[in-house]
Amino acid sequence: MSRRRPPDRLPDGYLPVWKCLVEADGRSSSRQALARRLGVATHTLQRLLVDGRVPRFPETTNPRVVHAWVRILARLAVHFDRDPRRWITGVGIAWNDRIARVSEAAVAGRAGWDRPTAGRAGWE
């Protein structure tokens, strides 16, 4: 089996996330099961693992998109035992009090997460 490579379009700031996801994807029975375990949409996994179509920060300024990705990154970081702030700032989102609150709320809501998510990536 050849070694997987990140999507060409994936910005460098997302590489730590991609590395954790690709390893988990290889061990998972399906993307749906992985998405459920991680608390993200399968579309989010597709964007991160396959096509690289993720928001580019700080260019993306829509607060709904920014906050949605803060929640996604915080949940993923906690699952993989990583620092959410590092992953959030790593993709170019400026850390401030509001972002910290959104991240903390996502982490607090992560306990016991094992349910399907609805909606498209960025709008969970």
Side-chain angles (χ1 to χ4, degrees):
M1 179 174 151
S2 65
R3 187 158 198 228
R4 290 184 61 181
R5 295 175 36 152
D8 291 337
R9 296 177 56 122
L10 191 71
D12 290 344
Y14 289 90
L15 289 178
V17 180
W18 179 86
K19 288 176 184 176
C20 288
L21 285 175
V22 78
E23 185 177 317
D25 186 46
R27 293 188 315 259
S28 186
S29 61
S30 70
R31 289 259 168 91
Q32 186 176 20
L34 179 61
R36 187 173 28 257
R37 192 167 53 252
L38 297 175
V40 299
T42 54
H43 185 75
T44 300
L45 294 179
Q46 174 74 17
R47 292 172 78 173
L48 288 163
L49 288 170
V50 179
D51 62 33
R53 290 180 178 259
V54 294
R56 295 181 183 273
F57 302 102
E59 298 164 17
T60 303
T61 59
N62 180 319
R64 289 183 69 182
V65 173
V66 173
H67 293 170
W69 278 88
V70 166
R71 289 189 298 273
I72 289 166
L73 293 167
R75 283 194 300 261
L76 292 174
V78 167
H79 177 83
F80 292 113
D81 197 27
R82 301 298 195 276
D83 177 20
R85 182 176 180 168
R86 183 169 294 202
W87 277 13
I88 291 164
T89 58
V91 301
I93 298 172
W95 191 263
N96 57 40
D97 290 341
R98 183 156 181 86
I99 295 302
R101 284 192 306 273
V102 172
S103 174
E104 289 168 8
V107 170
R110 180 69 177 89
W113 192 280
D114 190 22
R115 61 183 171 89
T117 57
R120 294 180 52 123
W123 301 101
E124 284 99 44

